[in-house]
Amino acid sequence: MRFLTAGESHGPQLTVIVEGLPANMQVDIEKLNEEMYKRQGGYGRGRRMQIEKDSVEIVSGVRHGYTLGSPITIVIKNDDFTHWRNIMGAAPISEEAQSEMKRVITKPRPGHADLVGGLKYQHRDLRNVLERSSARETAARVAVGALCKQLLQQLDIDVYSRVISIGGVSDKAHYDIEDIIQNVDKNDVRVVDETIAQQMRDKIDEAKQEGDSIGGVVQVIVNHMPVGIGSYVHYDRKLDGRIAQSVVGINAFKGVSFGEGFTAGEKLGSEIQDPILYDETTGYYRASNHLGGFEGGMSNGMPLVINGVMKPIPTLYRPLASVDINTKEPFKATIERSDSCAVPAASIVCEHAVTFEVARALLEEFESNDITILKQQVDARREQNINF
């Protein structure tokens, strides 16, 4: 399975083509849109989220609510394009119009792709860089992940996400999955503990008042995963390696870990390995899950636990020093509309990035032309874990 996205932040639309989902899989567009709306929420979001009402339109690959096995095309309209038509239109314009055009960007923002992308692609108007490098593209990735989530749910696999910390304020490291399911969507920072939620809101407000931004850590949990998805035989087939690449490919993500994560480096081997046990009903399992459900690049049947680190958003309302690429004079960086904190929304993006990689690995592992055959094979693998 693979996908390709296209579109600019203030262009007419985002377009996604997904290839490789099995035929005869039921698709619920209303549930797809529920996932899209989640990405737009969260405390600390900016005004753009009040303008865009993201919803998907499927224009190929699905008929009467079921996949055909052919490529699926999804369109997400950018409602804000009506105000940007002259600036972002595809039709040629005169040199005079170009020189008079508003919102030309020549002052790159530290921490963004602006300057490096301008150098690489020889753009004198850095808007040509920031429009595509914008986190707006993550709406397309959520749409893909939402499709894949419906596939996983039909295989009895569930994916959840939550926020672990924002600006140094941390929720409890470990919760039962039921606690996460029942509580994480009850507040706008996506933590289980409401007391911690208010502390995070206060931290976000403090950063916003200072014209600053704030980052944090999110967590994704994949439950009821069959054993042996991924492979130990080569580096590029390891499931945790693929997930790591996908997570750090999300805008502003600077790190990823699994299970206990970086604290594993501080512990003894006897403290971090997960003892193997056996139950006649469920088969092999682990007495703990310090490794986050991965052994040798493969799922071991325990919940997958993935942690992602998001840096503070680099667009600041009290901007840092920059240099005008035309005059070479020092300036404060250009201010684009932005969020003071997007960590809760980033947890949704991370959840769907992980969902895609898990779905892709499953479709590679088993025959996947038809959803019924795929289900049979996944169930057979679960039985194998009991009978081996």
Side-chain angles (χ1 to χ4, degrees), residues 203-321:
K203 199 76 174 179
I204 294 167
D205 289 342
E206 181 182 328
K208 186 175 182 178
Q209 289 169 5
E210 295 296 322
D212 219 324
S213 60
I214 196 168
V217 180
V218 304
Q219 183 178 82
V220 178
I221 299 173
V222 184
N223 200 29
H224 204 212
M225 188 73 177
V227 174
I229 307 305
S231 179
Y232 64 88
V233 303
H234 209 257
Y235 76 94
D236 61 351
R237 293 179 62 189
K238 292 177 181 284
L239 179 58
D240 48 0
R242 287 184 169 187
I243 289 173
Q245 194 281 328
S246 188
V247 170
V248 297
I250 301 170
N251 300 55
F253 272 65
K254 304 302 288 185
V256 61
S257 68
F258 302 92
E260 296 290 335
F262 292 103
T263 62
E266 304 168 2
K267 297 183 178 181
L268 296 170
S270 57
E271 296 175 302
I272 204 66
Q273 312 305 335
D274 301 309
I276 299 173
L277 303 174
Y278 181 80
D279 180 89
E280 291 183 357
T281 303
T282 59
Y284 297 97
Y285 68 100
R286 306 302 183 275
S288 55
N289 195 25
H290 300 301
L291 301 181
F294 296 94
E295 289 175 331
M298 301 170 290
S299 58
N300 65 12
M302 298 295 285
L304 306 185
V305 180
I306 301 100
N307 311 301
V309 180
M310 182 187 189
K311 71 176 181 178
I313 292 171
T315 297
L316 307 178
Y317 285 96
R318 189 174 292 179
L320 300 174

Side-chain angles (χ1 to χ4, degrees), residues 25 57 90 95 129 160 189 193 199 292 367 378:
M25 181 187 106
E57 179 184 0
E95 290 186 10
V129 177
Y160 313 101
V189 288
D193 189 332
Q199 294 177 28
E367 184 181 340
V378 171

